[in-house]
Amino acid sequence: MREPGAVLERVHWVGGCLVRVMAAGMGGFFLLICLLHIRPHYALIDLWTIGVAAVVMVATLPARFTAGWTVLAVSLSAATTALLALHPEGVRQPSVLVEATALLVLTVRVVWRTGRDRVVPATALVAGTAIARVSVLALASVAPPLALLVVAAPMAVLVAVAIGIGLYLRALDARRARAVLEARRDERLELARDLHDFVAHHITGIVVQAQAARFAAQSGAAQTPEQLDATFAGIEKAGTEALTSMRRMVSLLRDAQHTDRAAQDAGADRAAAGADGPAGRDRGPPDGRGAAARPPAPSRT
């Protein structure tokens, strides 16, 4: 029987693939219409604009968010913006709708997945490129101040919404990471309490048997070798069980520590690579208790 968490993860992965396929199909179909619309005279500026829109759209499709694709897409879009500002005859190409939508998606992913030290400049670059790319549409027929009011202002609102979505997703990840760390800390504290209880139980047995033997010796009661052997055997057994419990609990604590360290290293690699798909996320169990499987508690005999 499959675990519910694994089934939900599989459903999430399949849903993400379907969304990406649908987005790629709709965007590609629209760009194909744009390409057919300019025939039979394929102007270089139109072909360039459609190609850049295709590259920016492709940059949003991979399950893994990579800085290389983002830098390439934003650089091409910024260069296209500057080119069309100098040649306003090409700014009416409708492929900009696909490009602007893809830039909004990239804004969300940059805010969500970029490292804390680079999130502000990266977000400003992508958001500024998206606003400028749409604002250049009105330069051919509308005065710049009015263009900023009519085109740039609504796009700025959409960019702000995209930034808000990215911040919300980033906050969800941070909240979940804190919950996992707290759950693992509680697990270690519980193991430490169990270690104290088990060892204290066995050491109490050792103390009690040693006190009984000492009391018998002080009272002058004669003890047979069999009785002494049974007393020492009980002390030896309690000490062995105490050492076994201690080794077992310390091993669990050490395994949990190594697992936490590996998870932190994976999180650092994920932040550097910007992974955001089911294959790139280090989700782990929902309750954060997958660090180490706890064996049955030793018997307190």
Side-chain angles (χ1 to χ4, degrees):
M1 182 179 294
R2 295 183 178 180
E3 298 181 357
V7 175
L8 291 177
E9 188 70 17
R10 180 62 61 85
V11 171
H12 174 75
W13 181 80
V14 173
C17 290
L18 290 177
V19 170
R20 287 190 290 272
V21 170
M22 292 177 60
M26 294 176 61
F29 181 72
F30 187 82
L31 293 179
L32 179 60
I33 293 177
C34 294
L35 188 62
L36 295 176
H37 178 71
I38 64 175
R39 66 174 187 174
H41 304 290
Y42 294 100
L44 183 59
I45 188 67
D46 291 330
L47 293 176
W48 172 266
T49 304
I50 295 175
V52 170
V55 171
V56 178
M57 181 190 68
V58 170
T60 65
L61 297 179
R64 284 181 171 270
F65 170 70
T66 57
W69 271 108
T70 303
V71 171
L72 175 62
V74 174
S75 300
L76 288 176
S77 183
T80 304
T81 301
L83 178 64
L84 295 181
L86 297 176
H87 300 81
E89 66 276 5
V91 300
R92 297 184 180 276
Q93 178 54 246
S95 62
V96 70
L97 297 176
V98 175
E99 186 177 348
T101 303
L103 286 174
L104 290 176
V105 176
L106 284 179
T107 301
V108 174
R109 300 182 75 176
V110 165
V111 176
W112 183 13
R113 288 298 177 182
T114 307
R116 183 178 300 179
D117 55 338
R118 296 175 297 175
V119 62
V120 174
T123 302
L125 179 61
V126 179
T129 301
I131 296 174
R133 182 66 184 89
V134 175
S135 300
V136 78
L137 288 171
L139 293 179
S141 57
V142 184
L146 187 58
L148 293 177
L149 179 62
V150 174
V151 180
M155 189 62 187
V157 173
L158 293 178
V159 169
V161 172
I163 293 175
I165 294 175
L167 290 175
Y168 175 73
L169 295 175
R170 192 182 187 95
L172 286 182
D173 283 352
R175 184 183 305 173
R176 183 193 173 277
R178 288 194 300 267
V180 170
L181 290 178
E182 291 176 359
R184 288 175 176 171
R185 182 191 61 187
D186 294 340
E187 180 79 6
R188 289 192 292 267
L189 290 177
E190 184 178 354
L191 290 175
R193 287 192 296 267
D194 291 342
L195 174 61
H196 174 270
D197 294 341
F198 296 147
V199 174
H201 169 74
H202 295 306
I203 291 180
T204 300
I206 294 174
V207 172
V208 169
Q209 295 183 66
Q211 289 177 343
R214 183 181 180 186
F215 177 79
Q218 290 178 351
S219 63
Q223 291 185 332
T224 62
E226 290 78 7
Q227 292 176 336
L228 291 175
D229 182 71
T231 300
F232 291 135
I235 294 175
E236 180 183 3
K237 180 180 179 182
T240 302
E241 291 179 350
L243 290 175
T244 301
S245 299
M246 184 178 298
R247 292 193 186 99
R248 184 175 301 172
M249 290 299 175
V250 171
S251 177
L252 287 177
L253 291 173
R254 185 180 295 113
D255 292 342
Q257 182 180 4
H258 292 336
T259 303
D260 289 346
R261 186 175 302 172
Q264 292 175 359
D265 294 340
D269 295 339
R270 213 168 49 247
D276 74 341
R281 293 182 189 175
D282 182 20
R283 291 297 183 192
D287 58 352
R289 294 179 177 265
R294 297 183 59 189
S299 60
R300 302 186 179 186
T301 56

